[in-house]
């Protein structure tokens, strides 16, 4: 659901073979207004390393080798409280999360720093609305 992009500080494009990582193709213009994340069982030496989820958009591409991406916004830093315990995060947006019809929406996971090995499980609910 969310793609790890530790090899890039800010993915401004995505190879055509990775376009299936989109979590949604917008049927019309709209806005993401809220995200709710339930995590479980953070583990590893770096179980408490902070991370964020980054929301990107990019127009659908036909007969191309790459797709251009634009950062919409990111969650605030999330730090699991304890190894082997649950964690949760809710965040609201009132602006900055707009998308157009036919935009592909991507969610990337990235640790705030290189840190130690970390395993994180989660389920995410992205909420929003269509404006047209």
């Amino acid at each position: 659901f969310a793609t790890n992009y530790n090899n890039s500080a800010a993915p401004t494009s995505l190879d055509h073979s990775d376009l299936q990582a989109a979590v949604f193709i917008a049927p019309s213009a709209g806005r993401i207004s809220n995200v709710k994340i339930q995590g479980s069982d953070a583990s590893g030496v770096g179980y408490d390393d902070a991370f964020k989820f980054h929301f990107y958009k990019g127009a659908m591409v036909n007969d191309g080798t790459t797709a251009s991406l634009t950062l919409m916004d990111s969650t605030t830093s999330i730090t699991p409280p304890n190894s082997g315990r649950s964690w949760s995060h809710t965040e609201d947006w009132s602006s900055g999360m707009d998308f157009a019809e036919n935009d592909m929406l991507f969610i990337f996971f990235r640790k705030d720093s290189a840190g130690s090995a970390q395993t994180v499980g989660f389920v995410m609910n992205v909420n929003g609305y269509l404006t047209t």
Side-chain angles (χ1 to χ4, degrees), residues 31-51:
R31 173 179 287 164
I32 296 173
S33 58
N34 172 276
V35 64
K36 295 178 185 297
I37 309 164
Q38 177 63 64
S40 63
D41 222 12
S43 61
V45 176
Y47 76 87
D48 59 349
D49 287 349
F51 54 85

Side-chain angles (χ1 to χ4, degrees), residues 9-92:
T12 56
S13 67
L14 202 58
D15 186 82
H16 69 91
S17 63
D18 294 324
L19 295 180
Q20 69 271 13
V23 298
F24 184 71
I25 297 175
S28 66
R31 173 179 287 164
I32 296 173
S33 58
N34 172 276
V35 64
K36 295 178 185 297
I37 309 164
Q38 177 63 64
S40 63
D41 222 12
S43 61
V45 176
Y47 76 87
D48 59 349
D49 287 349
F51 54 85
K52 295 177 185 171
F53 291 93
H54 305 275
F55 295 79
Y56 280 79
K57 63 183 176 184
M60 291 176 61
V61 177
N62 185 45
D63 197 24
T65 58
T66 61
S68 295
L69 300 182
T70 302
L71 176 65
M72 296 166 70
D73 206 347
S74 305
T75 63
T76 56
S77 289
I78 301 167
T79 304
N82 234 322
S83 181
R85 299 286 183 100
S86 64
W87 56 270
S88 63
H89 182 81
T90 300
E91 193 153 338
D92 298 315

Side-chain angles (χ1 to χ4, degrees), residues 6 11 19 22 28 32-33 35 40 50 62 88 97 103-104 106 108 110 123 125 127 129-131:
N6 280 330
L19 295 180
S28 66
I32 296 173
S33 58
V35 64
S40 63
N62 185 45
S88 63
M97 295 292 272
D103 273 353
M104 300 175 292
F106 297 87
F108 295 100
R110 183 173 168 87
V123 62
N125 185 12
N127 301 294
Y129 54 89
L130 301 176
T131 56

